[in-house]
Amino acid sequence: MAARALGRYIIADPAICHGQPVFRGTRILVADVLEQVASGMAWDAIIEEWHGALTKQAIAEAIRLAQEALVIHTSQLVAAH
């Protein structure tokens, strides 16, 4: 399986972090950044923590993709409960 662009800033590449979505040009897991956002961490603080390797646009894309995934998979989540 080749690398796949999931958006402008996010890719999934089996050769990087076992194919988990990461921010392009980094090994920063999208899931880790989404967890920081969910905990209430300010976006500027997230960017600083990752030494400027992320942008606000990249974080926004991660949130948008997560929202889209939630909408797409809601019926599966509801059926599982």
Side-chain angles (χ1 to χ4, degrees), residues 60-77:
E61 180 175 89
I63 293 169
R64 181 183 54 78
L65 290 173
Q67 183 269 338
E68 288 174 6
L70 179 65
V71 169
I72 290 169
H73 297 289
T74 294
S75 60
Q76 295 171 349
L77 293 170

Side-chain angles (χ1 to χ4, degrees), residues 23-35:
F23 291 92
R24 187 180 303 276
T26 75
R27 297 180 70 80
I28 301 170
L29 294 172
V30 170
D32 289 345
V33 173
L34 288 173
E35 187 174 318

Side-chain angles (χ1 to χ4, degrees), residues 38-78:
S39 74
M41 193 171 186
W43 289 19
D44 288 330
I46 294 169
I47 293 166
E48 184 176 321
E49 181 164 315
W50 294 107
H51 307 288
L54 301 176
T55 64
K56 288 182 180 180
Q57 293 84 0
I59 296 169
E61 180 175 89
I63 293 169
R64 181 183 54 78
L65 290 173
Q67 183 269 338
E68 288 174 6
L70 179 65
V71 169
I72 290 169
H73 297 289
T74 294
S75 60
Q76 295 171 349
L77 293 170
V78 171

Side-chain angles (χ1 to χ4, degrees), residues 1-17:
M1 181 177 152
R4 181 163 182 233
L6 302 177
R8 181 175 177 193
Y9 303 100
I10 299 171
I11 63 164
D13 183 341
I16 302 171
C17 297

